[in-house]
Amino acid sequence: MGTPGREMRIPLLEEQEEVVPDRITSVLVLSAFFAVCGSYVFGNAVSYSSPAESGIMDELGLSLAEYSVFGSLLTVGGLLGALCSGKIADLIGRRGAMWVIDVAGIIGWCAIFLSESAWSLDLGRLLLGFGVGLASYVVPVYIAEVTPKNLRGGFVSLCMLVIACGMSMTYIIGTVLNWRILACLGSIPCLLQLVGLFLVPESPRWLAKIGRERDMEAALQRLRGKNADISKETSEIEIYIETLQEVSEYRIFYIFQRKYAQALTLGGLNAYAFYMSSILERAGASSTAGSITTAIVQLAANIAAVFLMDKFGRRPLLLVSASGACLAGFLIGLSFLLQDYHQSTDVVSALTFIGIVVFTGFFSIGLGGIPWIIMAEIFPINVKGSAGSLVNLVSWIGSWLVAYTFSYFFEWSSAGVFFVFSGICCSAILFIAKMVPETKGRTLEEIEASMTS
């Protein structure tokens, strides 16, 4: 058994013959479909508190402070779920972790549905947050590990598309349904995934990691098709796992070695999107028109990302996304600067509206989902649990900090906060150009080998 500092030598596979079938099979489609049910739960849970607010407060007599606690507990639960997401996925498998998501989600929605006081509401919201925090790691990892390399980007991009669908559907349905019925409907994707996961295979790479080679081959054969030749892909996975076993058993500090430093840093691109909510009213623009427009743009951009991911690659889309987000921040900052100088309200509201739409579109096509794709791709399987938990935790902490501090910064300087945001996105462009590797069209073993060799 080696020392933690020992260099891991993994043969690069780029020069080998193309061996991974890129045919879409029914089992692969079903695996992705049932996995992204967890992403729908994510979008559903995040957006639930908005349409349910007036109904819950009126019926249960909650104060604004009590309802704010209810809303914020999703993030607290998300932090808890993120903290143990990698460990759970490593101990009981990717499917097992998704079953945990479903159980937490079903209990959480039932607690909200049956609530007669604040404590059961809060318990349900906390359990939903735990499931969402777990899903944000497990779902993209599972899809990345079961999908052929030439299809992986598009399939993992489905996570963000389905999150956007979950949010949009909850906003729309929530305008006509009672909050209890809305909570009851929220449990349906959990039940669907709970049953559906019995029909699809476990991640072949996780099975290989725990020494279940025959199960790994059977799972891979089901995913690639009954007549597909999986011998070389199986060999690649087995050789890679054997190489990892020659390295010392990892500890939490193992992921901070120099060879993993770049991979760990790449997880920090994801916490930009959560302070674009109530600025339209400040600018004098229509919040209803803005919400509808951004919802449409978000869905369209996520659909485009599914098809563009494996065509143009991760880096180009990230660079375009960060550039567009930088421009959007500048436009919104400029609009509020003009407002401070008492310029035309029409000009201010138009610039703000355009900035929000530009941000939504460009964020959704790159920064919103690609960091999760890269996170699922770049970490070697022996550190994926610990590293994934760390990245997931940092992302949730960053999201909470942004959501918590934005109102204070917005009151301090409406223009300044968006100019700062634009500067952060500008620095992200430089970071992406310098540090982010291109992973399009490469197997997970090839990516991990190039990151650690």
Side-chain angles (χ1 to χ4, degrees), residues 80-280:
L80 296 174
L83 186 61
C84 57
S85 57
K87 193 68 173 178
I88 291 175
D90 278 351
L91 284 176
I92 62 176
R94 298 3 178 179
R95 286 195 312 168
M98 286 188 277
W99 278 320
V100 173
I101 295 168
D102 298 329
V103 171
I106 291 169
I107 296 174
W109 284 122
C110 287
I112 293 173
F113 173 74
L114 298 171
S115 290
E116 297 296 339
S117 61
W119 74 267
S120 54
L121 272 177
D122 293 345
L123 176 62
R125 189 72 168 170
L126 188 67
L127 286 171
L128 283 177
F130 179 83
V132 164
L134 187 54
S136 61
Y137 168 77
V138 175
V139 173
V141 165
Y142 174 77
I143 295 177
E145 290 182 349
V146 302
T147 311
K149 64 183 182 180
N150 294 331
L151 302 170
R152 189 175 58 243
F155 269 77
V156 180
S157 297
L158 289 172
C159 297
M160 287 304 298
L161 175 60
V162 175
I163 288 173
C165 290
M167 294 176 69
S168 300
M169 289 299 295
T170 303
Y171 283 131
I172 295 170
I173 297 174
T175 61
V176 295
L177 291 181
N178 176 271
W179 63 274
R180 293 187 189 272
I181 303 301
L182 193 61
C184 187
L185 292 177
S187 65
I188 294 177
C190 301
L191 291 168
L192 181 63
Q193 186 181 55
L194 188 68
V195 175
L197 287 172
F198 286 100
L199 307 176
V200 299
E202 178 58 87
S203 161
R205 288 172 171 85
W206 180 78
L207 292 170
K209 180 195 172 194
I210 63 171
R212 293 166 56 182
E213 287 82 5
R214 289 190 178 182
D215 291 337
M216 181 269 288
E217 293 179 16
L220 197 58
Q221 192 73 69
R222 287 186 64 195
L223 288 163
R224 301 296 181 257
K226 184 169 62 175
N227 299 320
D229 181 7
I230 63 167
S231 57
K232 291 188 177 180
E233 186 177 5
T234 300
S235 177
E236 287 182 0
I237 295 173
E238 289 177 342
I239 292 172
Y240 183 72
I241 295 297
E242 289 172 3
T243 306
L244 289 177
Q245 288 174 347
E246 295 176 2
V247 185
S248 63
E249 181 183 358
Y250 70 90
R251 300 290 188 266
I252 186 63
F253 61 80
Y254 187 58
I255 65 176
F256 293 100
Q257 291 187 60
R258 184 175 182 271
K259 60 187 176 182
Y260 296 132
Q262 181 182 3
L264 280 169
T265 309
L266 297 179
L269 294 173
N270 196 40
Y272 290 108
F274 297 97
Y275 49 81
M276 293 285 185
S277 55
S278 15
I279 59 175
L280 283 167

Side-chain angles (χ1 to χ4, degrees), residues 30-40 98 139 142-143 193 197:
L30 281 175
S31 299
F33 172 77
F34 289 123
V36 297
C37 285
S39 297
Y40 191 93
M98 286 188 277
V139 173
Y142 174 77
I143 295 177
Q193 186 181 55
L197 287 172

Side-chain angles (χ1 to χ4, degrees), residues 265-339:
T265 309
L266 297 179
L269 294 173
N270 196 40
Y272 290 108
F274 297 97
Y275 49 81
M276 293 285 185
S277 55
S278 15
I279 59 175
L280 283 167
E281 293 182 3
R282 176 74 68 89
S286 169
S287 58
T288 302
S291 298
I292 294 172
T293 304
T294 53
I296 294 171
V297 169
Q298 184 181 38
L299 285 173
N302 277 289
I303 292 171
V306 171
F307 296 99
L308 296 177
M309 197 69 61
D310 288 314
K311 183 176 179 62
F312 295 105
R314 285 50 154 168
R315 273 169 52 89
L317 287 182
L318 275 176
L319 288 169
V320 170
S321 179
S323 300
C326 179
L327 174 62
F330 179 80
L331 288 176
I332 299 173
L334 179 62
S335 71
F336 284 111
L337 185 64
L338 293 174
Q339 187 182 61

